[in-house]
Amino acid sequence: MAAAETDRDSPSALCSEFLNFSAKDTAAKWLQVSNLPKEVYQHLACYVPKIYCLGPNLNPQNEDLLAQLLLQSPLEWYLCGEEPSVGLAKLEQSNQPSQLCGHVFKVGEPTYSCRECAADPTCVLCMQCFLGSVHKEHRYRMTTSGGGGFCDCGDTEAWKKGPYCQKHEPNISDFSQKDPLANLSAEMVARTYNVFSIILKYAVDMLTWDKEDELPEGLEPPLRGDTYYCMLFNDEVHTYEQVIYTLQKAVNCTQKEAVSFATTVDRDGRKSVRFGDFQFCEQAKSVIVRNTSRQTKPLRVQVMHSSVVAHQCFALRALAWLGQTIRYSDALRRILCQVGLQRGPEGENSSLVDTLMLCDSKMWKGARNVYHQLFMSSLLMDPKYKKLFAIQFARNYRRLQTDFMEDDHERVVSVTSLSVQLFTAPTVARMLITEENLMTTIIRTFVDHLRHRDLQGRFQFERYTAQQAFKFRRVQSLIGDLKYVLISRPTEWGDQLREKFLKGFDAFLELLKCMQGMDPVVRQVGQHIEMEPEWEAAFTLQMKLTHIISMMQEWCASDEKVLIEAYKKCLSALTHCHSGFTDGEQPITLSMCGHSVDTIRYCVSQEKVSIHLPVSRLLAGLHALLSKTDVAYRFPEQLPLSELSPPMLIEHPLRCLVLCAQVHAGMWRRNGFSLVNQIYYYHNVKCRMEMFDKDLIMLQAGASMMDPNHFLMIVLSRFELYHIFSAPDFRKRCSRENANKDVVQQNNTLIEEMLHLVIMVVGERYTAGVGQVESTDEIKREIVHQLCIRPMAHSELVKALPENENKETGMERVIDSVASFKKPGVTGRGLYKLRPECAKMFNLYFHHYSRADQSKAEEAQRKIKRQNGEDSALPPPVLSRFCPLFASLVNILQCDVLLSILGAVLQWAMEPSGGHWSESMLQRVLHLIGMGLVEEQQHLISSTEDNVTSFNFTLKISRPGEAPGNTPSILALLETLQNAPHLEVHKEMIRWILKTVSNIKTTRECTASAPPTDSSGHSQEETVRDKDKAERKRKAEMARLRREKIMAQMSEMQRHFINENKELFQQSLEELDASPSSSLEHSPSCCDSVLVCVGPRRWRAGGSDRRQMVTCILCQEEQEIRSDGRAMVLAAFVQRSTVMSKNRKRPPHNPDKYDPLFMHPDLSFGTHTGSCGHIMHSHCWQRYFEAVQAKEQRRQQRLRVHTSYDVENGEFLCPLCECLSNTVIPLLPLTKNNCSVQPDLSQWLNITSLQMKALHSAHRKTNNAEGVDDTGDAEDCPSPYGFKLDHTPKNPYSSTIKEMLTTFGTTMYKVGLKVHPNEQDPRVPIMCWGSCGYTIQSIERLLVDEEKPLFGSLPCRQDDCLSSLTRFGAACWNVSSHTTVQSHFIRLFAALVPDSRVENIPCILDIDMFHLLVSLVLSHPAVLCLDSSGLSADAAQLHFLHLVTVAHLVQILLTSKPEEVRMEQESGGAEREEEESVCMLFNTLRTHLGRGLHEVSSGWHLWRCVKTGILPYLRAAALFFHYLNGAPSPPELHALSAGEWEALCGYLCLPSNLLQLYYKNQELLEPLLQRWCSHPGVLQGLQTSAALIRFPRESNHLIELPEDYSALINQASSFTCPKSGGDKSRAPTLCLVCGAMLCSQSYCCQTELEGEDVGACTAHTFACGAGVGIFLRVRECQVLFLSGKTKGCFYAPPYLDDYGETDQGLRRGNPLHLCQERYRKIQKLWRQHSITEEIGHAQEANQTLVGIDWQHL
Ligand SMILES: [Zn+2]
Ligand SMILES: [Zn+2]
Ligand SMILES: [Zn+2]
Ligand SMILES: [Zn+2]
Ligand SMILES: [Zn+2]
Ligand SMILES: [Zn+2]
Ligand SMILES: [Zn+2]
């Protein structure tokens, strides 16, 4: 790289030449010349290489500027014939713009489609058009664009209604479609034509130019230097990492440069990576090729001459210029289209547009994008040329697709992707079908690309290589094109369209024929198959074609002639497929019950069978359509009905269904999973429409044309059950087959499946054409049956229903008629519940139920019936009527063979099952009998005489069997079975049947056609009551079991832990009694006087020491908390926090130098401590932690997996609740102060000042003694009375407690400052006090935000945490150097009582007063311990509180805002005293500060400021002293009440007029006040009032989010990556804390943090959230929680659709709206510092989250 940095000054060398250039003159010259193209080329040949590509780094701004001046400007002058800006403006004015919006979408931009009005889902609107359209009130879908494509606003074909938005509404006056060229003068047209044809030709020549070292004729540069580029091209084979690694090696660049190269290559498709002489570039090329050619084909690299690259650069620029220029006028656009499509010298398909398209796959990405854009803004925007272009596109279609197969770019950058713009316009598509035979072309191209066939010519995907599989994926896009062409059905048919469609249909049948019978399977016996056969490719094909097949049928159905022709063609195709239907298969004769039929011998279990039968299924579909229209009845002679051979029709579908049955019966186990998967998809909602459903229809069609007895015999034969039912002695079946239990079991399942099939063949009448129903009935029935299982969310229902080609299920039209909607709460989602009246449609044997669905639905329905006090039989529902073509199917129910089968099963059921029959078999038989009865009832109701006699099921079942069997009648059997004790479960159904039979009989007997009585049997009240009782008993039992289970789980949790750590626990498990830890604290022993928490008058524990007993969760032993006892600890989690920060711009502190002694009032960084409240012995915890560590080490060695916690950082999960923890807090008893001397403020100030002086000089002395050079005079100060500097107090704590004090303190220090642990560091105690203050403050805020009272509402765990944290704070000085703590105290005290000897004390505006109070109180014991005169600690605490409160008052007054509106609000005297005194104080401050303070007139306003400003401080102080001194809280503070102020002041021993604190000691405090104000920082702070922190500080909120989610998408779509120069960001992510938008999950925005590469989000969390972050991933609509570099989880977004569901990943596209409750829930998690905990729980619950590389997000 270094070689070439120098020659960037060339433009200036050329400057003079450029300055003398005149565009106008050049254009004038061009007007004169005869050979304009040559002249222009000469100009380009001369200038282009001088402007572009002069050095290694292209300089787009400079180049574009020069190109504008020297190259474009003369062209524009020539074009306009005048000053271009004037000429173009004129053009624009006279233009009548087209009504198309045509806005081209950026990646990630929101697009909208109306689900009611769009012609198809590809019709979309841009946000602007959408908001101005009628569709925003409709049901719409919102998606994000993948880039490319444009807004369809104004395209009347795209929208059923409302095609225009307000902006693109046409003026009715000029609606006449006139030629836009009419507005232009002839000369202008000619000139435009000239310029456009030269420039477009030039651009096409250059972009399709493939020589590296030469230029086209006429463009050779006048000077040729040895300057080359080494150009690297993009492909989709090599990864980012490979490219980056290779580049670093090949061109010797840094990683950063390599990343930037790789990013550009990925974006633009190519990038020069080296500039220099030929040799230099060639060398880099060979390194790159060598390095990347090992596994795959090498990266494409070319060494290109700089002039070639220069012309290509300008060619791109020229295309962009053309695009801009035609925007001025539709006329110019039309001329460009004309130029582009003009036939070239080589004849057909040689226009410039053709040339570009045909070279598409050879061009680099950037070039393709530019010319595709130009096509979109020209050819596709002009209605006339859009058609001509479409024709060219269709003619080249096969070539383009073939090129695309070889292309190594994605489809979005291929010209083939333009098909969506052309083919979805219905008129264009229709024209291409009729004129260019497009349907046939697409299908043939598709078939040609699938070359692998078996001997019968069927597709074979078996041994696909990776490359063939890649091609197969590509070729699927052709199916997409076919779908576009078919998506809108013609309303009118012409002969030509019929002809061409049927031609296409022929081609389609050829395709289906290649699929009929593909992937056949043979049952594996003996050994398991060795290799799972390939099956996915065939199913992918089937799935992709599903909608096409459906659409083909719809097209056929829209025209009778076409339908009949298609039917014929399909039938002959099927006949052709199965011409060898009986080949090699022996004919046999079956006979039963006096009927006999000829068929073939074929066993599914022995011969080949295939699941793919698209030809049969298409025919089934067409047959149903024929049946639906009445053509079949009007012109039966036109139909080839006589050619139909019903046995042939049903044969293959039947085999397929039998295959499923056998798989269920376990007969194909050895064939492995591939078969199981195929069967699964065969029934799956994605495929069943054109697979399972159609097979069933085909069986129905075939059966309706056959004698039902024959049909059933063939069915029995194919199920391989014929021998069981045909044998006269089938009753002895059990004894005969006893030998093999497996076979019996198999046969039982097969019989069940066979009966189910019969139920379906007779009962499934909800397809239009089969039954007399509408399509809405079908969808209603689907929904009813889904909801019979359980209430479901909208998306669950959508998933369970088949979608059509428009991605619609049709659910919205009917859902409200069958279900009611229940809204969701803060969690969960909205649910649809079945309307009770729809339950009568329930069919237990609904054909789309899986066995699991069926049993769930059965259970649910029985339960509902019982709840309603009905009998729980589930008889078959009343069905709709068959269409005439299918009407004869009902006779199956009463045919001899079926009755014989039913009788046989009932006969078996006489005896308790020993495995010879099954409950479900019997249940199906009863259902079939029920169906017969329901059918008969229906016939009776509609009672035409004919029906009544022809369908007499009751008669048939009352007839006994004939000789020789002499079996009893079915009815007789049922009557016997009714009382069989082993059939208890079926009793109600049998009872229902018998009752219905007698009903029917009565009806028939009263031949007078009285309507039948209600068939639903009402059971006697008695049984209902019995049942109720039983039900209640059962419920009680269930509840008991559930309770027991929970208890067992809880003790299991503990046991589990102990088992895992067995080595630790010698104790026997019996000791494990679930005894919760008990705390005896907080029971006030005296409540006589007012409760006070601080000062000499404070509440004290009554006489005897209160003992505090706790239980260790690990060893279950009880332990008393004593200072000399064994240490007990609380699991805790310490984290840095910015939740309360008022200044997120403050840069993180330098951890090594930062002095945390004074917290700034902006609270920008704090240390928060939380706990789950679980208590352990310190030694139990230590052993536990060591075990976790050891286990973790072993695990990491073995599995290298991460865990949700980082052991190396001291993290562990609480052994009881698995809460993330990183340290423990020692539990300490209350300290007792027994002192007598209670000095007043002035005495105390005196003493303390003397103490300070003494300490100060003593410290100096030691420093001097240690050799620290201190020039200050070390005067000897006399100590006050009883103050012994050399006194070393006794440490009251046991060794284990001391150890824990150190442990916790060190964690505070380590986590809070992000440094390595060092227990000696003087900042350790400061961090402890700080965390105490910060945690109390944050909890005070939380209580306000949650509107909860100060006391009594905290959960136990927080209560325990705060109390132990505070007591720890008071004790931690014991384990630090006393001198250090003393000197901290000296500095803290100096902030209140300024001391000239102490330096670098911040002014009172820069101190958070609560932190100061806490630190003073907690550090003071280190000073007080030197005193032996009996000074009271309580008095000191009270004096600290008073002093700090006064300082805070001053702070609030100084920062108060002047009142904005002067309000006449003098209060009624109640607080007159306070108002006057606050005014006085304020005026005193003004005298000290003068101009720095504003004037006030109203004490009312000031007093209000003071009161609201100081309240959070007082509340926090109350919490602090409450926990420190253990004083019970006053009841007034246990509720939200108006008396809070007085109660707080009383509890804190403060006067309710706080100003009295000052005025009572004015002579003492006045000098302090003066000195505070004289600190230079005060004046400075007041002058920069913008940065001033004012009180009260408001609670922080997460940012405001828009109500409509698309507003966010739109915002994100215009967001560009801040690092890679205006590039779109792939994963724009919004910080919910500060509102910053980030470019996440991308190389471009990775930065280095603490020596590691991290993504933008992780980097941001460190600045914004001290390591914790809450983000919204906008494209995914997903909330992201991050903590540190290794932890993260996804969280449900606060956006819901109208059905109360979130849409993570934006897959469904329903409009989303903000749910405030859910957002508040996230905010609460954040405010209470629970994000990290939430992540921990999520990661424990879902281990895959642990593996994600969170730091790269
Ligand atoms: Zn638009
Ligand atoms: Zn519009
Ligand atoms: Zn609409
Ligand atoms: Zn223990
Ligand atoms: Zn816990
Ligand atoms: Zn942020
Ligand atoms: Zn970026």
Side-chain angles (χ1 to χ4, degrees), residues 873-922:
L874 295 170
V878 174
L879 299 170
S880 65
R881 320 214 42 154
F882 276 121
C883 289
L885 264 190
F886 289 86
S888 66
L889 282 175
V890 294
N891 292 323
I892 292 179
L893 288 171
Q894 54 170 355
C895 78
D896 298 333
V897 173
L898 185 71
L899 292 172
S900 143
I901 295 170
L902 300 181
V905 175
L906 291 176
Q907 192 81 46
W908 298 335
M910 298 296 279
E911 285 168 43
S913 173
H916 319 302
W917 59 275
S918 69
E919 300 271 345
S920 12
M921 201 189 290
L922 180 63

Side-chain angles (χ1 to χ4, degrees), residues 977-1206:
L977 289 174
Q978 181 177 209
N979 299 316
H982 63 278
L983 295 181
E984 199 58 36
V985 270
H986 302 289
K987 219 165 222 169
E988 290 186 329
M989 184 65 191
I990 298 175
R991 204 159 37 216
W992 178 86
I993 289 174
L994 293 175
K995 208 169 149 72
T996 312
V997 169
S998 78
N999 280 342
I1000 291 175
K1001 280 191 173 153
T1002 2
T1003 318
R1004 279 197 187 269
E1005 277 157 19
C1006 332
T1007 29
S1009 53
T1013 51
D1014 188 3
S1015 60
S1016 59
H1018 286 295
S1019 21
Q1020 295 87 355
E1021 265 179 64
E1022 210 172 326
T1023 54
V1024 173
R1025 225 177 300 133
D1026 281 353
K1027 242 178 280 165
D1028 275 356
K1029 219 189 263 169
E1031 184 66 22
R1032 267 200 303 278
K1033 211 172 147 193
R1034 201 181 55 84
K1035 271 190 190 153
E1037 183 65 14
M1038 291 277 284
R1040 189 181 62 81
L1041 287 174
R1042 205 163 35 233
R1043 270 198 309 274
E1044 275 177 8
K1045 202 172 150 205
I1046 292 171
M1047 296 301 283
Q1049 267 175 354
M1050 279 172 62
S1051 73
E1052 184 59 36
M1053 255 163 63
Q1054 293 177 339
R1055 204 172 319 234
H1056 175 68
F1057 162 72
I1058 289 174
N1059 277 341
E1060 262 195 308
N1061 302 280
K1062 234 179 194 136
E1063 62 269 27
L1064 299 183
F1065 294 92
Q1066 274 80 43
Q1067 295 100 321
S1068 64
L1069 287 174
E1070 285 96 271
E1071 284 177 32
L1072 255 182
D1073 247 356
S1075 61
S1077 80
S1078 60
S1079 145
L1080 300 176
E1081 230 193 325
H1082 305 311
S1083 48
S1085 56
C1086 63
C1087 353
D1088 45 333
S1089 61
V1090 195
L1091 287 170
V1092 174
C1093 62
V1094 58
R1097 278 171 44 231
R1098 80 170 166 90
W1099 176 93
R1100 254 163 251 275
S1104 65
D1105 269 358
R1106 286 186 313 139
R1107 283 157 49 98
Q1108 194 190 348
M1109 300 297 295
V1110 291
T1111 310
C1112 169
I1113 56 163
L1114 289 174
C1115 69
Q1116 302 294 318
E1117 257 175 54
E1118 277 215 331
Q1119 174 78 44
E1120 189 190 348
I1121 303 287
R1122 295 158 56 102
S1123 21
D1124 52 356
R1126 290 202 282 174
M1128 294 301 283
V1129 294
L1130 203 56
F1133 185 71
V1134 177
Q1135 60 186 318
R1136 275 153 51 86
S1137 158
T1138 62
V1139 171
M1140 290 193 290
S1141 170
K1142 286 285 145 201
N1143 179 9
R1144 286 187 198 285
K1145 298 211 172 64
R1146 188 184 281 270
H1149 310 291
N1150 176 345
D1152 296 325
K1153 299 204 180 107
Y1154 175 54
D1155 174 10
L1157 188 63
F1158 293 98
M1159 172 63 97
H1160 193 274
D1162 68 12
L1163 302 177
S1164 51
F1165 288 95
T1167 314
H1168 181 270
T1169 305
S1171 167
C1172 64
H1174 290 128
I1175 299 170
M1176 298 162 271
H1177 284 109
S1178 66
H1179 61 268
C1180 288
W1181 169 71
Q1182 279 167 325
R1183 276 193 294 192
Y1184 165 74
F1185 185 64
E1186 278 156 21
V1188 170
Q1189 257 177 330
K1191 198 173 93 192
E1192 205 46 42
Q1193 267 164 14
R1194 283 200 302 275
R1195 190 157 83 152
Q1196 273 172 0
Q1197 280 162 9
R1198 223 176 37 239
L1199 299 166
R1200 299 179 51 98
V1201 287
H1202 302 279
T1203 45
S1204 62
Y1205 52 96
D1206 177 4

Side-chain angles (χ1 to χ4, degrees), residues 1668-1696:
V1668 174
I1670 306 172
F1671 299 96
L1672 184 68
R1673 289 160 62 84
V1674 181
R1675 297 264 161 82
E1676 273 78 28
C1677 190
Q1678 199 172 39
V1679 167
L1680 167 70
F1681 289 165
L1682 284 182
S1683 168
K1685 291 185 197 165
T1686 54
K1687 294 197 198 87
C1689 72
F1690 298 112
Y1691 195 82
Y1695 281 90
L1696 297 181

Side-chain angles (χ1 to χ4, degrees), residues 465-592:
T465 60
Q467 223 212 328
Q468 283 162 331
F470 173 77
K471 264 197 187 176
F472 178 59
R473 278 197 297 278
R474 291 238 148 156
V475 83
Q476 288 164 18
S477 64
L478 287 165
I479 301 180
D481 285 353
L482 187 56
K483 189 164 144 183
Y484 294 146
V485 173
L486 294 173
I487 212 155
S488 74
R489 256 166 292 151
T491 41
E492 277 169 52
W493 287 78
D495 282 341
Q496 218 189 347
L497 182 59
R498 278 196 194 98
E499 184 204 324
K500 287 292 164 48
F501 172 76
L502 285 169
K503 256 196 180 155
F505 190 78
D506 273 333
F508 190 62
L509 280 175
E510 287 305 313
L511 167 63
L512 295 190
K513 268 155 85 178
C514 297
M515 295 168 66
Q516 180 90 352
M518 66 182 169
D519 280 2
V521 286
V522 179
R523 180 169 167 237
Q524 193 82 10
V525 281
Q527 288 228 312
H528 196 277
I529 47 155
E530 277 165 25
M531 235 175 58
E532 293 278 346
E534 158 64 40
W535 63 277
E536 283 174 72
F539 261 88
T540 311
L541 188 56
Q542 169 69 36
M543 257 187 243
K544 296 261 164 187
L545 283 177
T546 295
H547 287 146
I548 305 281
I549 299 174
S550 306
M551 285 190 285
M552 282 284 186
Q553 292 170 28
E554 281 163 19
W555 275 60
C556 292
S558 66
D559 184 73
E560 277 181 7
K561 284 186 196 160
V562 173
L563 181 59
I564 293 170
E565 278 311 305
Y567 189 81
K568 284 183 187 160
K569 283 173 188 292
C570 191
L571 182 62
S572 85
L574 185 64
T575 320
H576 176 260
C577 282
H578 298 306
S579 55
F581 158 59
T582 51
D583 275 3
E585 288 158 345
Q586 296 166 17
I588 51 164
T589 306
L590 307 171
S591 52
M592 251 178 102

